[in-house]
Amino acid sequence: MEIDLSRGSIERVPTNPKDTALYLGGLGTNAKLLWDRVPPEAEPFSPDNLLIFSTGLLGGTPATGANRTIVSTFSPQTLLMAYSMMGGFFAPELKYAGYDKVIIRGNSPELVYLWINDDKVEIRDASHLQGKGALEAAEMIRRELKEPKAQVCAIGLAGENRVYYASIEHSRSSASRGGIGAVMGAKKLKAVAVRGKKDINVARPEEFMTLCNEVLNYIQHRAKNPIKGVPPILAGIGSPQEMAIHDEEWHTTSFAWGNARHRRKGFWTKETAEVWKKTQEKAVERLISCYNCPMKCGAVVSYPALGISKYMMKCYSKLTYVMGAMADDLDFGFRIAGLAQEYGVDGYTAPQVMAFAVELYEDGILTDQDLPGFPSGNEERFFWLLEKIVRREGIGDILANGTYWAARQIGKGAEAYDRNTIKKHEQIPIKLGMLNPIYFLMYSTGEKMNITQIEGQMPQVPFATREEREEFVKDWIQVPDEKFKEFFLNWELRGENAFPHYPPPETACDLVEWQETMHYIDDILGICAGLSSFPIKPPYHIHNLPKFISAATGMDFDKDRLWNTARRIRNLLRAVNARRGLRRSDEKPPEDHWKKRFPDLEKKLLDTYYRFKGWNSEGIPTKETLDGLDLAYVAEDLLKRGILSEDETAAAEEAAEEAKQN
Amino acid sequence: MGEKKKKIIKTIKIDADKCNGCRACEVACSAFHATPKYSSNNPARSRIRVIHEPLKDMFVPVYAGEYTAAECMGRDKYVLDGKEYDECALCRASCPSRDLFKEPDSGLPLKCDMCESDPTLTEPLCVQWCITDALVYEEREEEVEEEEEQEDLEIGLEALADKYGMEKLIETVARLSVAKKE
């Protein structure tokens, strides 16, 4: 469905089956639309930018966890393609209403919301919702429509005020990375409400249900068999079980606190563990799930003693504010996260921007003049900053642009405090010792820009003994190829087969391709990464996913065709971003991400990866690569714009020759 | 009066405390009852609906029960553990007072049939799909008075008769059967 908010037009357009065959759905068809329709010069806040709410190819089918809404647009922060996904109940409802996507173009003159009730679609006045919290607005909409079963996603004050890291909130989930909530704000679209009562069909029903049952059985099997040898938070499936598990030793001692600066290696003591356990048990009223999924990755948080109203929390935001503020109490996390959700800000970026501001203040770069009435305690400071940021008041107007832009606007050396962004986007604050070649590549080149949405499937560090490793690979059915088991068996903590020179660049490329490809597939199909690309030994994998697609659509998919489709979409995304200026120089992790860096090795890793992908030395897919993926029209455009040149293929081969000689 | 007869009583034990609100039961139910079987799913056709109000801590699966032609004289409201459930929320009837448990296009009533089918399932599909164990299937034997079961067709016809009047229904059936013969 196409909505033009400038003209107020609504148009139902059938999905093009040719595009479905090549790009399937979700992220794939979103990327195609953005390539085709948004000129690279278009500013993210301009009416020319599209905001696409998409279901995945399997969205709303009985496939467990096929509930993700894939929101795509161009980011005001990175200026590149932003795509963020949310779980919950929205995408299936949209599909039951009869739509694969809602494509929004134009900017409305007044604040509006969209009401999709099966075939009836209205653009409605939202002036009475201005300034309302995201979840508050959703509830008001359900009430005024008298549709308690409508699913709503909405922006809060941050989105309305175009904060560069504003989120779109829905129920217990949010699409928060890349500032897509700010684009929604620029379009003056407060919310989208949807109610659907139609059927979703699959092509080969019995076969499809058999596959679903296998997945449900495997989920039960994994529940009884947690992975040994990894922290509890990584042993199960689903998103990391932050709401159920209180043992936070791994996060609190391995991740950086404050402005991605401090490690607190001794933080997790027996006393802390006890206090945090109590807090969590008090706060969590019930563990909850998304649509059609037995996992319970979220929770209803109810903590009357803290004077906060009930809200739903997912996974890691419980810790991001706590660690950003160097707070010792988990209480603080539960208190501020609820408020931040109503305002609609990204739970990763917001606390890092606040920590950045606190550090600038402590080092005298920001002064009392910039921060009049700034409280003395860190927790109060975070609340203070949150209020300023979501209103773009005073210093908040600058901080609302994220660390990268704020640092440059503030100047006076503030740039040096922008220590944890890649491509202008805040990363998870991890600062480690030894360069990890796999993560180096994922951080540098991932289009998704959020490591948890690139990594997965593998233990993050090698197991200590050969016996443990042999035990681990025994039932590792998820690997696309036996060579991954070989790698894992030989991977050691120390010595020759350890970081940074093991795995060698070629193997590192293979490992990165596997990990990111699985995420691409999830985002195309609308399946939650928590059941698929993220955890170790997940129920969905490269061997059963093609069967799901075949049974659902009737198109014949096997492992190779699916892998190739993911490659096509991966390259299309890269081209979308290359056309907007992404180049090799942007592809680097923060300087202090690892203490021990190896510039020559890193260069070699990136060269090898680009070659492996069929990209030129600037990281742009060559004509040959694009032509081979049915993307000749993309190559043609890149050539016409001078982003690629005719001899580009030669350049890649030259590099290959050079590598051989070395 | 029928004779005394041994009968298997099929029970679904609903443990609302274990419900995580995922609504997989609705998916499974509507897929099972699709024609052909599993060819589509649509919670609006499901014979089980989850009352899902996370912020009020309400998570209650409710099964579709008997069709009723007339609404109750009053309306029920339950307050349990301090939580006030919507009017008639816990009622299982397909009733003129509300949309619940009716086919979305025809308005015909829906009723849980415990997934009676040939071959029979070990337990209803909603129970199989509820791996959080909020739904647990139990069977027990009881002596009951035998009574003719009202078949699906009869329930549907009765609903149509109530909606359009018996005369109109008979006329339509007669007309349709003539049209079919031609």
Side-chain angles (χ1 to χ4, degrees), chain A residues 127-152:
Chain A
S127 52
H128 57 301
L129 301 173
Q130 187 161 8
K132 298 290 178 203
L135 300 170
E136 188 187 4
E139 194 46 46
M140 287 173 73
I141 288 171
R142 269 193 291 270
R143 237 178 271 149
E144 71 183 44
L145 296 173
K146 298 199 175 60
E147 270 290 351
K149 291 195 180 84
Q151 299 297 340
V152 185

Side-chain angles (χ1 to χ4, degrees), chain A residues 48-60:
Chain A
D48 292 338
N49 191 8
L50 297 182
L51 177 65
I52 309 172
F53 292 85
S54 182
T55 63
L57 184 76
L58 298 180

Side-chain angles (χ1 to χ4, degrees), chain A residues 335-409:
Chain A
R335 273 193 291 141
I336 195 164
L339 187 61
Q341 244 180 55
E342 281 291 5
Y343 285 142
V345 288
D346 176 10
Y348 276 113
T349 291
Q352 288 194 48
V353 174
M354 297 175 193
F356 160 79
V358 167
E359 208 177 49
L360 289 182
Y361 178 77
E362 279 169 354
D363 288 2
I365 295 176
L366 287 178
T367 64
D368 285 324
Q369 253 180 340
D370 305 305
L371 305 161
F374 200 42
S376 56
N378 263 10
E379 297 182 7
E380 292 72 32
R381 284 172 170 178
F382 266 47
F383 279 107
W384 190 92
L385 286 164
L386 180 61
E387 300 291 339
K388 299 284 171 200
I389 288 167
V390 298
R391 290 183 178 77
R392 280 190 173 274
E393 255 172 33
I395 190 72
D397 193 28
I398 293 173
L399 295 173
N401 296 339
T403 319
Y404 175 90
W405 296 109
R408 276 136 196 96
Q409 278 170 278

Side-chain angles (χ1 to χ4, degrees), chain A residues 226-354:
Chain A
I227 306 287
K228 291 174 206 142
V230 299
I233 213 87
L234 298 176
I237 52 173
S239 291
Q241 298 295 296
E242 292 291 333
M243 296 296 110
I245 294 174
H246 52 82
D247 181 347
E248 287 294 355
E249 178 168 14
W250 185 66
H251 277 134
T252 56
T253 61
S254 337
F255 287 39
W257 293 63
N259 183 25
R261 187 179 289 277
H262 311 283
R263 285 279 290 276
R264 296 173 82 178
K265 286 190 180 169
F267 178 79
W268 195 254
T269 61
K270 225 174 129 186
E271 292 73 44
T272 311
E274 267 168 37
V275 177
W276 278 39
K277 182 171 183 236
K278 253 187 221 157
T279 305
Q280 182 148 330
E281 280 170 357
K282 258 194 243 165
V284 171
E285 181 174 80
R286 183 191 290 252
L287 298 176
I288 54 171
S289 74
C290 296
Y291 186 70
N292 191 22
C293 177
M295 305 310 299
K296 300 179 218 172
C297 311
V300 177
V301 173
S302 170
Y303 208 151
L306 295 179
I308 50 172
S309 42
K310 270 193 198 185
Y311 66 101
M312 289 171 268
M313 181 183 254
K314 61 244 145 202
C315 158
Y316 191 55
S317 46
K318 138 188 159 190
L319 286 186
T320 52
Y321 291 95
V322 171
M323 292 178 70
M326 302 279 291
D328 294 337
D329 299 331
L330 188 57
D331 278 13
F332 168 67
F334 285 119
R335 273 193 291 141
I336 195 164
L339 187 61
Q341 244 180 55
E342 281 291 5
Y343 285 142
V345 288
D346 176 10
Y348 276 113
T349 291
Q352 288 194 48
V353 174
M354 297 175 193

Side-chain angles (χ1 to χ4, degrees), chain A residues 218-220 222-223 234-241 295 297 530-531 535-539:
Chain A
Y218 193 81
I219 290 173
Q220 285 166 291
R222 277 288 277 107
L234 298 176
I237 52 173
S239 291
Q241 298 295 296
M295 305 310 299
C297 311
L531 291 174
I536 304 165
K537 296 184 183 171

Side-chain angles (χ1 to χ4, degrees), chain A residues 2 41 68 226 229 255 263 320 327 341-342 373-374 443-444 486 488 514 542 546 578 597 608 616 631:
Chain A
E2 308 248 7
E41 332 49 81
R68 305 287 279 178
F255 287 39
R263 285 279 290 276
T320 52
Q341 244 180 55
E342 281 291 5
F374 200 42
Y443 274 113
S444 301
E486 266 319 294
F488 188 77
W514 172 30
I542 192 60
R597 298 292 290 261
T608 313
N616 70 14
L631 296 172

Side-chain angles (χ1 to χ4, degrees), chain A residues 60 96 197 199 286 289 292, chain B residues 19 22 39-42 45 57:
Chain A
Y96 292 125
K197 297 183 286 298
D199 298 346
R286 183 191 290 252
S289 74
N292 191 22
Chain B
C19 178
C22 80
S39 60
S40 67
N41 92 91
N42 179 357
R45 292 187 202 283
D57 196 35

Side-chain angles (χ1 to χ4, degrees), chain B residues 26-44:
Chain B
E26 298 179 13
V27 176
C29 175
S30 60
F32 182 84
H33 291 97
T35 319
K37 200 186 265 183
Y38 306 131
S39 60
S40 67
N41 92 91
N42 179 357

